[in-house]
Amino acid sequence: MDQVYNLAIIGAGPAGIAAAVESYLLGMRDIIILEKGQSHNETIRKYYKDNKRVDKDWQGQKVELDGNIYFIDGTKESTLDFFDEVLAKHSVKLQPQTEVQKIVRGDDGIFDVMVPGGSIRARYVVVTIGRMGKPNKPDYKIPPAIRKQVNYTLDDVGEGEKILVVGGGDSAVEYAVDLAAKNDVAICYRRATFRRANPTNQTDIANAIAHGEVRPILNTNIEGLEEDAGKVKVLFEEREPENFDRVIYAIGGTTPSAFLTGSGIGIEEGCPVHDENYESDVPGIFVAGDITQERGGSIALGLNHGFYIARHILDNDKTLRRDDDVIKRLD
């Protein structure tokens, strides 16, 4: 608790890892990554199905990588292995299972990153909490009796269940197609087509529907859920209610507004306020990754954000740089 880190990073996704590694390569030491989950890239671990394709250019966003981390297209498993290797090669401390409550600047100008039982002190802080750290939930209330049957990942799904997947993006489509092999699956989306999904997923869901593997419930919204003899009764607009064993929502994530505002960071149009260097309106606190964008999710953009932030901090605070000869010997 008495140590002062040069850099504390909140969130161990691509942007957080990049901010740490790029800072290390530029000569900074005493870096810590604080992660709420059990390891790095929890969004990929929890919300991506096994063998899911992971693209550098997410949803057609063509991004040239500017930093030192060279990421290429792969799968869920190869991506996690890649970031394992990146962390292992550099002296960056990853502290998992640490939920940050807020950030407070002390009287000495050092930030106190508040965690249960105390604080972690740092000269600079980078916030890279992903939107999926707080998945979107429906506006209507979920009755307590069926809460265990209403999910946001595939963790609790069994075989032979009648399942409704709610959403029209890549995750929803992939969940529906994947689950259809061993379950009775329907997918509900408020629009008539799955245009938000990437072309491969659009083809996959079209084929699944054409072969009767997934039943589409399109152009309709859900008004609410009820418990009905141990089942989840789904109340549709302009459609008869239907019972399911389980409902899975895959409707994206949201900005962690309470955490940001509680740390003094302003929010405009759903994103934290920041300048061209990704420094927030609290000097010394930076934001990176998908919370900075209306359409988040690009690993390549997150890697670039980490690089830009590291370069800006080290360019403007030469006291954090190690001597070049020392860096060469250490690296």
Side-chain angles (χ1 to χ4, degrees):
M1 291 298 183
D2 294 332
Q3 179 176 358
V4 176
Y5 289 92
N6 287 322
L7 181 63
I9 297 162
I10 303 170
I17 292 172
V21 169
E22 300 287 3
S23 296
Y24 177 88
L25 292 173
L26 288 171
M28 186 190 292
R29 297 296 181 264
D30 296 326
I31 301 166
I32 187 170
I33 305 176
L34 306 172
E35 167 57 44
K36 178 181 177 180
Q38 296 186 1
S39 188
H40 62 82
N41 286 294
E42 283 294 298
T43 293
I44 293 175
R45 294 179 194 277
K46 290 177 62 176
Y47 296 100
Y48 286 28
K49 67 175 186 176
D50 291 346
N51 297 311
K52 171 181 166 62
R53 193 181 75 196
V54 180
D55 295 332
K56 179 181 79 69
D57 296 321
W58 184 78
Q59 289 196 349
Q61 298 180 71
K62 300 291 183 181
V63 179
E64 294 298 325
L65 293 170
D66 295 327
N68 295 288
I69 299 177
Y70 186 70
F71 178 77
I72 59 175
D73 297 347
T75 64
K76 170 184 176 178
E77 291 76 14
S78 69
T79 299
L80 294 174
D81 289 344
F82 172 79
F83 282 109
D84 277 337
E85 294 174 8
V86 169
L87 284 169
K89 286 179 63 176
H90 305 93
S91 298
V92 175
K93 181 179 180 181
L94 172 61
Q95 183 169 310
Q97 295 182 295
T98 303
E99 184 169 4
V100 176
Q101 298 161 334
K102 65 178 178 177
I103 308 164
V104 179
R105 188 192 295 276
D107 294 337
D108 56 0
I110 304 298
F111 290 105
D112 284 297
V113 182
M114 308 304 295
V115 298
S119 69
I120 292 166
R121 311 205 74 211
R123 292 180 172 85
Y124 296 92
V125 179
V126 182
V127 179
T128 69
I129 302 172
R131 292 177 185 269
M132 288 311 296
K134 187 179 179 183
N136 280 328
K137 297 183 179 181
D139 295 334
Y140 39 85
K141 292 184 177 180
I142 309 298
I146 56 172
R147 282 179 185 163
K148 290 185 178 180
Q149 296 160 264
V150 177
N151 309 125
Y152 304 90
T153 70
L154 304 186
D155 291 349
D156 298 321
V157 177
E159 294 183 15
E161 294 184 327
K162 183 180 178 183
I163 298 171
L164 178 67
V165 177
V166 182
D170 286 316
S171 292
V173 167
E174 290 170 2
Y175 286 175
V177 172
D178 190 50
L179 290 169
K182 298 180 180 179
N183 297 277
D184 176 4
V185 177
I187 185 167
C188 178
Y189 188 41
R190 67 182 186 278
R191 302 189 186 279
T193 63
F194 298 97
R195 61 187 182 187
R196 287 181 52 224
N198 67 47
T200 299
N201 283 332
Q202 289 186 39
T203 299
D204 288 347
I205 191 66
N207 287 337
I209 291 171
H211 289 90
E213 297 164 357
V214 174
R215 179 165 52 94
I217 302 176
L218 304 177
N219 265 336
T220 189
N221 288 305
I222 296 174
E223 294 183 327
L225 305 179
E226 296 178 355
E227 190 275 336
D228 185 6
K231 304 289 185 179
V232 181
K233 184 176 184 179
V234 180
L235 308 177
F236 297 100
E237 289 183 355
E238 300 179 358
R239 183 185 177 94
E240 289 299 310
E242 186 173 350
N243 285 1
F244 295 87
D245 295 312
R246 189 175 305 278
V247 176
I248 300 173
Y249 288 92
I251 51 179
T254 188
T255 302
S257 301
F259 170 78
L260 293 170
T261 56
S263 300
I265 300 171
I267 297 177
E268 290 183 359
E269 298 181 357
C271 297
V273 174
H274 62 84
D275 64 14
E276 66 276 9
N277 297 305
Y278 297 93
E279 189 167 16
S280 75
D281 49 356
V282 179
I285 300 181
F286 295 78
V287 291
D290 63 8
I291 60 169
T292 67
Q293 311 158 64
E294 190 172 334
R295 285 179 67 233
S298 169
I299 289 177
L301 280 177
L303 295 176
N304 279 352
H305 291 174
F307 171 66
Y308 302 149
I309 290 168
R311 185 176 59 183
H312 178 73
I313 292 174
L314 273 298
D315 282 349
N316 288 276
D317 192 343
K318 299 294 195 295
T319 66
L320 300 180
R321 283 183 181 269
R322 283 288 193 96
D323 176 83
D324 285 346
D325 289 336
V326 176
I327 294 171
K328 288 176 184 176
R329 290 198 299 273
L330 288 172
D331 292 343

